[in-house]
Amino acid sequence: SGGKYATFVAVELMEKFRRTFRIEASAENTIISGWSMGGYGAVYLGWKYPEVFSKIIAFAPALLTKNLEAWIPLDQDRNEAYYRMIFGDIATASKRDVNPEVLARELAARNHPVPPVYVACGQEDFLLGNNLEFVEFLKGQGIAHEFHTGPGVHSLEFWNQYMEDAIQWAVGAPRAVQS
């Protein structure tokens, strides 16, 4: 769902970047990242297009597809039409590939490696429970991941605390120990 944004970002935009900046066209050297709904997008695109992205960084990803019907009435900034635009049929979103968990299972069923994920979410973030459920999914599926949490809310101030570590994780650089 969400129109053609997925193919625009993962295919057209990546091709444009690679041609314009003469960037090597390999998944092994391509990482996707985002926060909040962009964190959802990073996980979704990373697993929808594993031939494009090798690693995913998601700061408090809004992985809402499993409980959209319960979530929508709580969101005071957006309405059902907004979520329908992104996820399509709300009643079936958890069972379709708009749910990253479905994508990960499909990759595993095809014996395709599932790109690893770095997740950071504040302890006071309204998406913490959602993120903890996601981490349990990652563990249960044996998907390589790192999860970090600490004092903080749904904000750039919290995510910026983990930005350098996330990038070092993604590129395989030596890292300072995180608490």
Side-chain angles (χ1 to χ4, degrees):
S1 215
K4 295 185 178 185
Y5 296 112
T7 55
F8 171 73
V9 172
V11 178
E12 297 167 43
L13 189 60
M14 291 306 301
E15 287 174 5
K16 177 80 171 168
F17 279 154
R18 288 173 172 150
R19 277 193 317 272
T20 302
F21 299 107
R22 297 184 181 160
I23 298 170
E24 182 185 336
S26 72
E28 147 185 354
N29 293 314
T30 308
I31 299 156
I32 189 164
S33 178
W35 59 80
S36 194
M37 190 57 88
Y40 159 80
V43 175
Y44 171 78
L45 291 173
W47 289 350
K48 180 84 173 168
Y49 297 93
E51 69 282 357
V52 176
F53 305 104
S54 64
K55 291 184 180 171
I56 301 161
I57 299 171
F59 297 103
L63 299 158
L64 308 173
T65 54
K66 285 172 45 177
N67 59 355
L68 263 177
E69 290 173 324
W71 178 261
I72 293 169
L74 302 174
D75 190 341
Q76 298 176 10
D77 296 327
R78 295 165 194 89
N79 61 24
E80 187 172 334
Y82 168 83
Y83 287 101
R84 216 176 310 109
M85 179 186 70
I86 295 168
F87 301 115
D89 180 16
I90 290 164
T92 63
S94 66
K95 298 172 183 77
R96 291 181 291 105
D97 76 356
V98 295
N99 179 353
E101 293 181 10
V102 170
L103 292 172
R105 288 185 182 109
E106 288 174 357
L107 288 173
R110 294 190 336 242
N111 291 321
H112 192 292
V114 180
V117 185
Y118 181 107
V119 179
C121 187
Q123 291 171 344
E124 292 81 34
D125 192 312
F126 66 94
L127 291 173
L128 179 61
N130 180 274
N131 279 235
L132 292 171
E133 285 181 33
F134 180 60
V135 170
E136 288 305 310
F137 169 80
L138 296 170
K139 288 177 187 175
Q141 297 295 308
I143 298 170
H145 68 282
E146 276 198 27
F147 176 66
H148 297 275
T149 190
V153 296
H154 197 74
S155 69
L156 279 172
E157 285 109 33
F158 175 81
W159 304 325
N160 282 338
Q161 294 175 45
Y162 292 90
M163 188 69 66
E164 184 177 347
D165 186 64
I167 293 168
Q168 290 172 332
W169 168 84
V171 300
R175 299 161 56 199
V177 177
Q178 286 281 334
S179 56

